[in-house]
Amino acid sequence: MSGIKAVFIADTGVKGPSRTEDFYAAFLSRVRERNLQDSVQLVRTEFSGIYDKGIFLRIWPGGVMYRDVPESRIDEIIERTIISGEVIEELRYTEKPKSLRVVLRNCGKIDPECIEEYIAAGGYGALNRILKDMSPEEVIEELKVSGLRGRGGGGFPTWMKWNFTRQAQGKEKFIICNADEGDPGAYMDRSILEGDPHSVIEGMITGGYASGAQNGYLYIRAEYPIAIERVRKAINQAYEYGLLGDDILGSGFSFHLGIRLGAGAFVCGEETALTASIEGKRGTPRPRPPYPSLRGLWDEPTIINNVETLANIPPIMERGGKWFSEIGTEKSAGTKVFALTGKVRRSGLIEVPMGTTLREIVYEIGGGLETGMELKAVQTGGPSGGVIPADHLDTPVDYEHLQDLGSIMGSGGMIVMDSSDCMIDVARFYLRFCVDESCGKCPPCRIGGYQLLMILNHIAKGSGTPEHIEKINEISNIMAKASLCGLGQTAPNPVFSTLKYFTEEYLEHINDKKCRSGKCSGLLSYRIDPDKCTRCSICFKKCPVNAVKGSREEGFTISSDECIKCGECFRVCRFDAVKVR
Amino acid sequence: MKKPDFEKIKERQEKLSSGWVRVGMSTCGIAAGADRIYGFLGEHLKKNRLDINLRKCGCLGACYAEPLVEVEVEGMPRVLYGNVNEEMALRIIKEHIIGGRILDSGVYHLRTSEPLK
């Protein structure tokens, strides 16, 4: 079996039919001519992860990659590369991938339920060295050099949190991992906990050592059963190996870790609500300061870090803060994991250095839009974030740039939208989420959110007035300034940012009673074009509420009073005779 | 007090790594049927008395192509198969692992991410 060679063939074009088959056939006939078919395997690849580079080849052994390969060069490739092992420089593809896996370094590579695999991949090595050779101050200093900032959305420097807690006085101290990920469309933290739980645990032990905390909790939402199961197993294994418990690795440092389950309230991702929830109280926020790093869980100094932040700690400690600070941009070091979803061709979890542009993410990693329609906007930051319109696609993604555009990094949801997405509908969706999830403790959020949603409902229904725009700005400002916690302060963001970039769309809804994306059903009316209608009667039969009137002899019309705007007639018509306005 | 011998663990793991099959078993994979594929592969590897490690792993990020199965056999390139169903799983065992021929469908090459070296 040894000694085989393989050629992986992929068409990296995104338009038109795949050219892989033709190329494959040509290549195969050349291979057969030379009677090499038993030792050289040709493999057609479904997907290469690369776009717009023509026919793409990867040749094994060696792994050399060629791009834009014409059929005329097949003979040369067989002779020079496959047989003689030479590299043809002018065909070679050398571009570095846009992604860089720091946090996800082990995800999909190691068995998350097996501590030995994590150790074999270098895990707990950094912790071992820290406990032996480094003082807590040195750990914090290393973290300061790295420039790591909180990945949960706020972007607060992690070393400062750790340092505040270290310097704070308390009977005991705690470190909490915030795994209450609740943004619609985001699942970065879940994947990290499911794919590499030990890296988070190692990060927490390191944080405990640096800050003096001897107890830690992972606050995970109960909707993540697989993550919980894997973390539980990982904690047990770490205890078995003496990496948790008393006198870890003979260093004299003790650290204990437990899991607390969240019932899935979005507000419990807010740190003061989170600590209240762990204490067994109702999960509602309280005013800050005092910040949890001084008075957190049971009024003791508490570090609260996001899952991704903690998963960054082991590589930083292993390779040094300087290494980390060189990735990304000056103010936003390192990488960020995003859940790329929506109308993008290749949805999934990606990790890129900070400062990568949205265009690179959507087109070079995500492969562009699956619908073939034009990109309209990218939503980042979930219900606390905003939309970034197509003409800002070249913005580098980091904390500052996104904030300047009226959005936020957030925890890392990234939803790609095309022209079939209505911005009022999008704003309404996120706002409804925040209204549902508002804990109700402070009036600006509880009342303001509801009022704002009512206004959006009016606009979507066609009963909006120009004064509503003014009201939106007024209420949004009050919510942003007067709400108790981040949920209320940022809830108007999706409305704010859509209004800022898509004012026209709002005005169209209000003045012309028109929704250009055809999403706001209240503004639609369906009509049958008698010139195109062939009287096939399919819409008549399919209409669920019998709103299509008439007969095959007389022709059909739609009764707008009875129509529920479900769009069924539009979908089933094969003659383009049903018109939407 | 227990103290793991990191070097010994690394050595032992390296010995294991000459041949393996990995199934992406995060929520995204399981939702697409990865646990069924995992069980199926286990059953058939045993039936064929193959000395190859069947392991779980987390999410590679290519959620659109789940279930993902990665195969490493000595003397062959590491291959990632996507959208694996039972029929493909059987072919992976028969053709790839036993026969030494890479399947001509379902092969994914994810170079969107560079591994951390």
Side-chain angles (χ1 to χ4, degrees):
Chain A
M1 227 159 66
S2 65
I4 71 142
K5 290 175 178 176
V7 180
F8 294 87
I9 305 169
D11 182 3
T12 59
V14 289
K15 289 193 186 96
S18 169
R19 293 161 294 175
T20 314
E21 291 306 315
D22 291 345
F23 190 88
Y24 170 79
F27 210 126
L28 190 63
S29 67
R30 300 302 197 334
V31 167
R32 285 202 176 133
E33 274 168 27
R34 291 176 174 76
N35 206 18
L36 288 172
Q37 64 271 25
D38 289 330
S39 60
V40 178
Q41 294 185 16
L42 300 185
V43 183
R44 283 161 287 187
T45 312
E46 304 271 320
F47 173 57
S48 61
I50 290 157
Y51 303 96
D52 281 330
K53 294 283 180 285
I55 293 285
F56 193 86
L57 301 184
R58 184 166 59 106
I59 296 163
W60 194 85
V64 66
M65 289 177 279
Y66 291 145
R67 42 135 189 84
D68 297 307
V69 182
E71 281 186 26
S72 58
R73 309 278 304 249
I74 293 176
D75 284 311
E76 192 189 346
I77 291 172
I78 296 177
E79 297 291 338
R80 287 178 62 188
T81 306
I82 298 176
I83 297 176
S84 312
E86 261 177 71
V87 173
I88 304 169
E89 283 303 332
E90 73 264 29
L91 285 178
R92 196 171 184 183
Y93 178 81
T94 49
E95 240 173 81
K96 282 212 162 144
K98 291 282 180 257
S99 313
L100 178 68
R101 290 167 85 96
V102 174
V103 172
L104 301 176
R105 64 199 178 283
N106 291 327
C107 282
K109 298 280 166 213
I110 66 165
D111 185 345
E113 297 180 1
C114 174
I115 190 170
E116 282 97 350
E117 289 207 11
Y118 180 69
I119 292 174
Y124 291 116
L127 181 72
N128 191 18
R129 221 195 57 226
I130 288 169
L131 294 180
K132 231 187 262 163
D133 305 330
M134 282 169 92
S135 69
E137 288 82 3
E138 283 169 334
V139 173
I140 290 176
E141 185 56 34
E142 199 66 50
L143 200 56
K144 186 178 174 182
V145 171
S146 78
L148 176 68
R149 294 167 66 176
R151 295 293 193 251
F156 191 77
T158 307
W159 75 270
M160 281 172 80
K161 267 193 190 177
W162 286 21
N163 204 32
F164 286 146
T165 300
R166 160 147 202 88
Q167 289 166 349
Q169 298 295 321
K171 277 204 300 282
E172 50 180 340
K173 295 175 184 175
F174 298 96
I175 178 164
I176 295 172
C177 170
N178 183 351
D180 192 65
E181 180 179 53
D183 295 14
Y187 56 98
M188 300 75 49
D189 296 348
R190 189 191 72 202
S191 286
I192 296 166
L193 290 175
E194 288 178 355
D196 194 13
H198 283 288
S199 70
V200 179
I201 294 174
E202 189 179 349
M204 289 185 78
I205 304 171
T206 309
Y209 176 71
S211 62
Q214 300 204 337
N215 283 293
Y217 294 105
L218 282 127
Y219 187 80
I220 313 175
R221 53 175 40 217
E223 285 108 321
Y224 283 178
I226 298 168
I228 293 163
E229 188 51 39
R230 296 214 173 132
V231 170
R232 190 164 281 147
K233 266 189 194 163
I235 290 177
N236 290 340
Q237 288 169 350
Y239 270 109
E240 263 171 48
Y241 273 76
L243 294 159
L244 278 174
D246 294 327
D247 190 18
I248 294 170
L249 301 173
S251 64
F253 171 66
S254 303
F255 188 74
H256 294 268
L257 203 53
I259 297 177
R260 291 292 178 274
L261 300 187
F266 185 59
V267 73
C268 287
E270 198 280 337
E271 46 188 25
T272 57
L274 189 154
T275 49
S277 171
I278 292 182
E279 288 169 15
K281 296 176 188 145
R282 191 187 176 108
T284 53
R286 59 156 175 82
R288 299 178 302 176
Y291 285 92
S293 32
L294 303 178
R295 283 181 65 188
L297 191 60
W298 289 296
D299 278 340
E300 301 294 345
T302 305
I303 298 174
I304 301 173
N305 283 146
N306 164 268
V307 172
E308 195 184 329
T309 314
L310 289 164
N312 266 307
I313 303 290
I316 290 175
M317 292 303 153
E318 198 185 319
R319 290 148 202 269
K322 192 167 172 296
W323 164 80
F324 190 82
S325 70
E326 283 162 5
I327 305 171
T329 62
E330 201 189 325
K331 283 190 176 162
S332 307
T335 59
K336 180 77 192 83
V337 183
F338 290 102
L340 187 63
T341 56
K343 302 284 165 60
V344 70
R345 197 182 297 265
R346 304 288 178 185
S347 56
L349 212 62
I350 60 157
E351 184 174 354
V352 289
M354 294 272 192
T356 308
T357 66
L358 279 172
R359 189 182 300 281
E360 288 169 325
I361 292 174
V362 174
Y363 287 95
E364 292 181 41
I365 298 174
L369 273 66
E370 72 175 345
T371 50
M373 274 194 251
E374 215 174 302
L375 184 140
K376 187 172 189 176
V378 178
Q379 208 278 347
T380 69
S384 309
V387 296
I388 295 166
D391 43 337
H392 284 89
L393 268 189
D394 289 309
T395 309
V397 176
D398 61 23
Y399 294 101
E400 277 73 25
H401 278 99
L402 290 187
Q403 210 152 25
D404 289 347
L405 287 179
S407 187
I408 60 163
M409 178 87 78
S411 53
M414 196 174 263
I415 301 170
V416 178
M417 296 168 183
D418 67 10
S419 43
S420 72
D421 291 305
C422 166
M423 289 299 129
I424 284 90
D425 196 52
V426 168
R428 217 154 62 104
F429 169 80
Y430 284 113
L431 192 64
R432 195 181 303 129
F433 178 84
C434 285
V435 170
D436 284 346
E437 293 292 345
S438 170
C439 74
K441 188 170 178 177
C442 73
C445 173
R446 182 183 70 233
I447 301 169
Y450 184 76
Q451 292 305 325
L452 212 48
L453 183 60
M454 288 301 113
I455 292 176
L456 286 188
N457 284 345
H458 272 301
I459 295 175
K461 264 194 319 217
S463 48
T465 63
E467 290 76 47
H468 277 148
I469 302 271
E470 224 171 283
K471 260 285 180 287
I472 288 177
N473 281 320
E474 196 187 322
I475 298 173
S476 297
N477 272 322
I478 295 172
M479 283 179 76
K481 289 207 178 89
S483 292
L484 188 54
C485 81
L487 196 157
Q489 288 159 9
T490 59
N493 275 356
V495 187
F496 241 168
S497 74
T498 48
L499 185 57
K500 178 175 165 191
Y501 294 114
F502 298 94
T503 319
E504 242 172 67
E505 245 183 273
Y506 274 84
L507 294 177
E508 257 174 34
H509 277 73
I510 292 170
N511 297 331
D512 310 339
K513 313 290 175 209
K514 200 178 135 205
C515 173
R516 61 169 92 174
S517 316
K519 270 276 154 71
C520 297
S521 58
L523 295 178
L524 301 182
S525 67
Y526 289 86
R527 176 179 79 76
I528 293 171
D529 183 349
D531 296 337
K532 286 199 171 167
C533 180
T534 62
R535 303 183 180 181
C536 73
S537 81
I538 185 148
C539 56
F540 178 76
K541 287 174 195 151
K542 289 282 179 183
C543 178
V545 291
N546 298 327
V548 179
K549 307 286 177 197
S551 64
R552 295 189 73 159
E553 290 74 36
E554 295 160 20
F556 296 97
T557 54
I558 296 171
S559 156
S560 53
D561 294 338
E562 288 165 63
C563 175
I564 55 165
K565 287 134 187 171
C566 66
E568 189 61 19
C569 51
F570 179 76
R571 272 191 294 277
V572 295
C573 181
R574 276 165 290 175
F575 308 100
D576 200 21
V578 177
K579 302 288 179 196
V580 199
R581 197 209 88 109
Chain B
M1 213 277 319
K2 276 163 294 181
K3 210 172 161 185
D5 186 335
F6 287 88
E7 291 313 311
K8 221 177 229 165
I9 292 170
K10 277 182 197 171
E11 254 172 54
R12 206 165 59 217
Q13 286 299 317
E14 262 160 41
K15 271 187 208 146
L16 288 177
S17 64
S18 59
W20 46 254
V21 177
R22 273 186 202 278
V23 185
M25 293 274 275
S26 279
T27 297
C28 46
I30 291 171
D35 51 348
R36 219 181 50 236
I37 298 295
Y38 184 82
F40 184 86
L41 280 167
E43 192 187 309
H44 285 264
L45 285 171
K46 213 170 166 188
K47 232 185 229 171
N48 288 291
R49 294 168 198 277
L50 289 168
D51 179 29
I52 198 155
N53 255 301
L54 177 65
R55 313 299 308 236
K56 292 175 186 177
C57 66
C59 169
L60 258 180
C63 307
Y64 53 86
E66 296 281 2
L68 286 163
V69 174
E70 198 168 18
V71 185
E72 160 110 355
V73 177
E74 218 183 330
M76 284 177 76
R78 190 178 290 181
V79 179
L80 181 68
Y81 293 105
N83 292 314
V84 176
N85 52 26
E86 291 181 359
E87 186 203 330
M88 256 179 86
L90 202 59
R91 285 183 60 201
I92 289 172
I93 293 179
K94 295 241 154 94
E95 295 175 29
H96 188 133
I97 300 174
I98 300 175
R101 277 200 90 83
I102 301 163
L103 267 58
D104 61 359
S105 61
V107 176
Y108 282 73
H109 168 213
L110 296 174
R111 203 184 166 259
T112 41
S113 301
E114 190 168 34
L116 196 63
K117 280 272 159 60

